[in-house]
């Protein structure tokens, strides 16, 4: 058996820490979006697991929708040039949009997406991100609901991949350097 765990150098955020943080985020979102027309948008594929867990901690009515994109770049660096592979299934006109992201790195991907979504005239757009790699930020990106600050290291697990692998690890880990060098 090839064990994905063997490729991990260090566990950065444990399953328990993720669960506790998502309870806090879910309760803040539930307070803020009471009686609002909320749609939580997950960016596939990385944001999928976070959305699934966060949604179950949200106690107010919430629609969900998905966008799939590929961003051009290397396996570990994005360029902000984004191709839309799958669009939302419903209009967001007049809605309160909450983008649910796995990690914000340079901010280029989200910057592009937000420009696209703004043109559809939602009431507002806010961001919820499990992780913030803020040292690498290129464009300013206010995160209304933030899980964890992470250092400038490439992380995998809990939805995040390297070459489409490691998404199913239940924690966030740092990949051994020899895997991607
Ligand atoms: P940005 O455009 O540089 O902000 O990149 C954002 C996207 O790149 C994230 O949504 C992830 O899909 C991916 N990404 C950035 N950093 C990491 C990482 O450390 N591990 C896995 N994916 C990452
Ligand atoms: Mg992503």
């Amino acid at each position: 058996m090839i064990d994905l765990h063997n490729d991990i150098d260090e566990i950065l955020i444990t399953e328990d820490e993720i669960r506790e943080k998502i309870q806090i985020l879910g309760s803040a979102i539930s307070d803020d979006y009471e009686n609002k027309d909320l749609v939580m948008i997950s960016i596939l594929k990385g944001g999928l697991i976070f959305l699934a867990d966060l949604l179950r901690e949200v106690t107010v009515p919430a629609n969900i929708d998905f966008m799939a994109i590929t961003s051009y770049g290397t396996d570990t660096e994005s360029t902000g040039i984004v191709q839309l592979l799958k669009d939302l299934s419903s209009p967001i006109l007049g809605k309160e949009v909450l983008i649910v992201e796995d990690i914000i790195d340079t901010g280029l991907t989200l910057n592009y997406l937000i420009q696209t979504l703004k043109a559809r005239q939602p009431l507002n757009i806010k961001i919820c991100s499990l992780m913030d790699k803020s040292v690498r930020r290129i464009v300013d990106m206010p995160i209304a609901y933030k899980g964890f600050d992470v250092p400038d290291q490439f992380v995998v697990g809990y939805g995040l991949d390297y070459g489409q692998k490691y998404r199913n690890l239940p924690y966030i880990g740092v990949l051994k350097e020899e895997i991607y060098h």
Side-chain angles (χ1 to χ4, degrees):
M1 267 273 282
I2 300 166
D3 190 346
L4 293 173
H5 183 73
N6 291 336
D7 295 348
I8 301 300
D9 197 23
E10 173 202 355
I11 296 179
L12 205 61
I13 310 170
T14 65
E15 276 187 81
D16 282 349
E17 287 168 333
I18 295 172
R19 194 178 316 113
E20 279 169 30
K21 186 68 79 175
I22 290 179
Q23 284 168 359
I24 294 167
L25 294 174
S27 108
I29 292 166
S30 304
D31 285 347
D32 296 350
Y33 287 90
E34 219 181 325
N35 300 316
K36 304 236 166 94
D37 198 359
L38 168 64
V39 54
M40 295 166 73
I41 295 177
S42 168
I43 317 297
L44 298 173
K45 304 169 190 172
L48 171 74
I49 294 178
F50 180 38
L51 176 74
D53 284 346
L54 181 63
L55 186 60
R56 283 175 282 185
E57 296 295 335
V58 170
T59 54
V60 296
N63 260 295
I64 57 168
D65 210 337
F66 299 91
M67 281 180 121
I69 54 165
T70 61
S71 50
Y72 294 98
T74 65
D75 273 349
T76 57
E77 306 254 342
S78 79
T79 56
I81 302 167
V82 170
Q83 188 193 354
L84 203 59
L85 299 178
K86 185 220 170 291
D87 205 343
L88 299 175
S89 57
S90 306
I92 52 169
L93 178 71
K95 296 194 186 288
E96 309 243 8
V97 170
L98 184 62
I99 298 178
V100 178
E101 253 289 39
D102 49 3
I103 188 165
I104 303 176
D105 186 22
T106 61
L108 291 170
T109 308
L110 217 47
N111 187 53
Y112 170 89
L113 273 183
I114 286 174
Q115 300 317 314
T116 309
L117 294 179
K118 269 187 182 160
R120 304 179 191 183
Q121 298 177 300
L123 199 58
N124 62 55
I125 303 179
K126 285 191 188 171
I127 299 166
C128 173
S129 185
L130 182 64
M131 287 174 282
D132 182 8
K133 216 191 267 183
S134 60
V135 288
R136 300 213 348 129
R137 197 78 89 252
I138 292 173
V139 287
D140 189 38
M141 196 52 65
I143 307 174
Y145 307 95
K146 174 161 78 173
F148 303 92
D149 285 297
V150 292
D152 186 8
Q153 278 173 311
F154 195 77
V155 294
V156 294
Y158 199 75
L160 289 94
D161 74 306
Y162 173 70
Q164 299 303 323
K165 258 170 92 176
Y166 309 104
R167 295 192 196 278
N168 48 334
L169 285 171
Y171 53 78
I172 305 282
V174 179
L175 206 52
K176 286 181 180 162
E177 273 208 28
E178 69 226 43
I179 306 292
Y180 58 93
H181 275 217

